[in-house]
Amino acid sequence: MNGNSTLASDPASLVAEVEALGERLQRVRDSVGRVIFGQQEVVEHTLITLLSGGHCLLVGVPGLGKTKLVETLGSVLGLDARRVQFTPDLMPADIIGSEVLEEAEDGRRAFRFLPGPVFCQLLMADEINRASPRTQSALLQAMQEQKVAVAGHVHPLPLPFHVLATQNPIEQEGTYPLPEAQLDRFLLEVEITYPDEAAERAMLLATTGARDDRPVQALTAAELIAAQALIRRIPVGEGVLDAILRLVRGARPEHSADPMIRKQLAWGPGPRAAQALMLATRARAVLDGRLAPSVEDVLALAQPVLRHRMALNFSARAEGVQVAEVIETLKAQLG
């Protein structure tokens, strides 16, 4: 394959590493499947996010297992996981920590930093849109730079560091819409819907009895970091690269060749969307047991990568147009 600067010097070694990773990831999916029922695509997209080294925004009504999914992934992947319930009165210090003045036995006083819950490897930001913009900005630095600054001192976060945030799409009273800059930091926006009848039946039988299935650890934090590095070494063909560029650039009103899309969009995705697709398609290929991504991976991930990175203008919203419809039009143009 051409068009990729990260080709391994030893292709046979890369193939062996990818196959071994695929086997470990299958154990991860099996372990998660013991606890999470009927959400295979949600689990897949969340694992893709973690393998790509990114953050994920989980959107769904209450009671669909978003919190349970994050807890389960923390256990299965061997990560230090913590949860923060976002509320309107939550302050930045409640997330990143603060400095306190302490007095020693000899009477000397000094400031000591008390780290907040963000100092973990997997942070669940529950109902993230309920926090004020000031608190959102504190989390934004942690998501982008993997460090926080308090009183002029920079404190690095543990590695790996991932934010899995949840958002209720129905109840919007008392919420603060996430700023576009923060939305862009989420690699994928994953929509969680109701499970089908068979999955809900299995869930009822498994969760209301005397026996409670526990997830089994199938990976370690160090192995996840190694997997993230391996994902970046997987070759991407020219056809996939061209599909990513056509899709992302076609979603911008300035670059789109479709007059209808130019008429409907207020703004489109930036280069970070293309970067997200490049990484996510590689991760999806490995999860499926393949050695390289295809255009099919690009089409499958177009919605979760793009829908939170573009917006319709007023006239399109007034006509009832949905962002998802525009993305489906762009996918159709790829053939």
Side-chain angles (χ1 to χ4, degrees):
M1 291 186 180
N2 298 321
N4 184 44
S5 60
T6 58
L7 284 170
S9 56
D10 185 0
S13 174
L14 178 61
V15 169
E17 290 181 60
V18 171
E19 291 177 345
L21 176 58
E23 293 177 1
R24 291 198 298 271
L25 292 177
Q26 186 56 52
R27 293 198 295 269
V28 169
R29 299 177 79 165
D30 292 342
S31 183
V32 173
R34 295 173 55 187
V35 181
I36 306 298
F37 299 89
Q39 300 286 3
Q40 287 85 357
E41 186 176 84
V42 173
V43 172
E44 177 185 271
H45 286 172
T46 308
L47 286 175
I48 286 172
T49 301
L50 298 178
L51 288 170
S52 303
H55 312 290
C56 185
L57 181 62
L58 303 169
V59 180
V61 299
L64 296 183
K66 297 186 293 294
T67 302
K68 189 68 172 178
L69 173 62
V70 178
E71 293 174 352
T72 301
L73 286 172
S75 299
V76 173
L77 299 176
L79 301 178
D80 174 23
R82 299 185 187 180
R83 176 179 178 271
V84 176
Q85 180 67 48
F86 277 56
T87 57
D89 60 347
L90 193 73
M91 299 299 291
D94 298 327
I95 299 177
I96 63 176
S98 59
E99 288 196 330
V100 296
L101 183 62
E102 289 187 333
E103 184 173 344
E105 294 181 358
D106 58 2
R108 295 183 179 180
R109 295 182 178 181
F111 284 98
R112 182 167 70 92
F113 176 65
L114 296 179
V118 76
F119 284 84
C120 65
Q121 295 171 318
L122 186 65
L123 176 67
M124 179 180 183
D126 210 355
E127 294 193 286
I128 188 172
N129 57 328
R130 292 198 176 277
S132 67
R134 181 182 179 187
T135 304
Q136 295 289 355
S137 65
L139 185 61
L140 180 61
Q141 182 190 19
M143 293 172 62
Q144 178 62 23
E145 303 176 15
Q146 296 185 336
K147 62 184 179 182
V148 297
V150 178
H153 299 284
V154 176
H155 304 273
L157 297 175
L159 295 177
F161 174 72
H162 301 280
V163 175
L164 299 185
T166 69
Q167 184 171 307
N168 180 355
I170 298 177
E171 187 182 359
Q172 297 300 317
E173 184 176 352
T175 64
Y176 300 86
L178 297 183
E180 287 76 11
Q182 185 166 8
L183 284 172
D184 197 29
R185 262 63 178 188
F186 287 104
L187 189 92
L188 300 183
E189 180 190 284
V190 179
E191 290 187 350
I192 303 181
T193 58
Y194 293 105
D196 58 35
E197 183 177 350
E200 195 162 2
R201 180 186 295 270
M203 179 185 64
L204 288 174
L205 294 173
T207 59
T208 60
R211 181 181 175 182
D212 186 17
D213 281 332
R214 300 283 182 178
V216 178
Q217 182 175 341
L219 215 64
T220 66
E223 288 174 333
L224 178 58
I225 293 175
Q228 292 170 351
L230 178 59
I231 291 294
R232 290 177 173 268
R233 292 167 51 203
I234 292 176
V236 177
E238 286 287 353
V240 176
L241 180 60
D242 289 343
I244 291 173
L245 287 172
R246 286 176 57 194
L247 184 67
V248 174
R249 294 181 65 84
R252 300 169 185 163
E254 301 88 349
H255 299 152
S256 177
D258 190 324
M260 183 58 67
I261 290 179
R262 292 200 303 268
K263 179 182 177 182
Q264 293 172 336
L265 290 178
W267 50 271
R272 191 176 280 115
Q275 294 171 332
L277 269 172
M278 280 284 283
L279 289 172
T281 54
R282 288 165 163 155
R284 187 174 189 269
V286 173
L287 277 176
D288 286 348
R290 291 178 281 113
L291 301 177
S294 65
V295 176
E296 174 66 27
D297 296 313
V298 178
L299 296 176
L301 292 167
Q303 288 283 356
V305 168
L306 295 180
R307 60 181 161 228
H308 59 297
R309 290 185 166 100
M310 49 196 297
L312 301 170
N313 55 34
F314 177 78
S315 61
R317 295 197 304 271
E319 295 173 2
V321 178
Q322 302 292 325
V323 170
E325 298 172 3
V326 177
I327 297 175
E328 288 301 314
T329 301
L330 291 167
K331 289 169 58 177
Q333 293 174 357
L334 288 181

